[in-house]
Amino acid sequence: MAQKNILNQVKTATGYDTLYPLTPYQIHQAKSVTGDGSNYAITIDLPAENITVPIIISFAPNVANLANCTISVNGLASKPLYINNAPSFANALSTTDICLVQYDVNGTMASVIR
């Protein structure tokens, strides 16, 4: 059976607006995480062209982060990683952490959700 990607949408007076995908089945698990701590390159199953709204990604860092690190998903633009509304500081994330990150391809940053 073919699988179809469906975005959450709500009808408005001017058409349809896409909603933030915040339901549990829309939390995307990282398939791979690479990087040197200054940038985490994450791969998920959702194709890059379908990442049009903020998504939530679960991942375990492969190395501890450096200060002001960034995150990239499926080769899309790198975004500064923020923790508690501030730029990330060194060793805020370790290899024993499981992180939930809100990645906004259209925004200016990605935020760790704690």
Side-chain angles (χ1 to χ4, degrees):
M1 175 181 260
Q3 189 174 26
K4 182 177 179 182
N5 292 326
I6 300 172
L7 295 175
N8 286 337
Q9 294 188 330
V10 62
K11 187 165 176 47
T12 65
T14 59
Y16 285 91
D17 285 340
T18 302
L19 300 176
Y20 284 60
L22 296 177
T23 57
Y25 65 87
Q26 292 174 317
I27 295 175
H28 302 278
Q29 180 66 41
K31 298 300 176 191
S32 70
V33 179
T34 58
D36 58 4
S38 64
N39 181 62
Y40 291 111
I42 297 174
T43 303
I44 61 173
D45 279 340
L46 186 64
E49 61 271 10
N50 289 353
I51 303 175
T52 58
V53 297
I55 60 172
I56 296 177
I57 302 162
S58 172
F59 79 99
N62 61 322
V63 296
N65 72 297
L66 302 174
N68 300 312
C69 72
T70 59
I71 184 173
S72 169
V73 178
N74 287 0
L76 294 171
S78 291
K79 305 290 182 176
L81 188 62
Y82 274 55
I83 299 171
N84 295 330
N85 295 322
S88 59
F89 52 90
N91 299 313
L93 306 176
S94 73
T95 57
T96 59
D97 291 334
I98 301 296
C99 302
L100 283 179
V101 173
Q102 181 178 352
Y103 177 83
D104 185 354
V105 70
N106 301 312
T108 57
M109 66 180 182
S111 300
V112 174
I113 303 167
R114 294 201 179 214

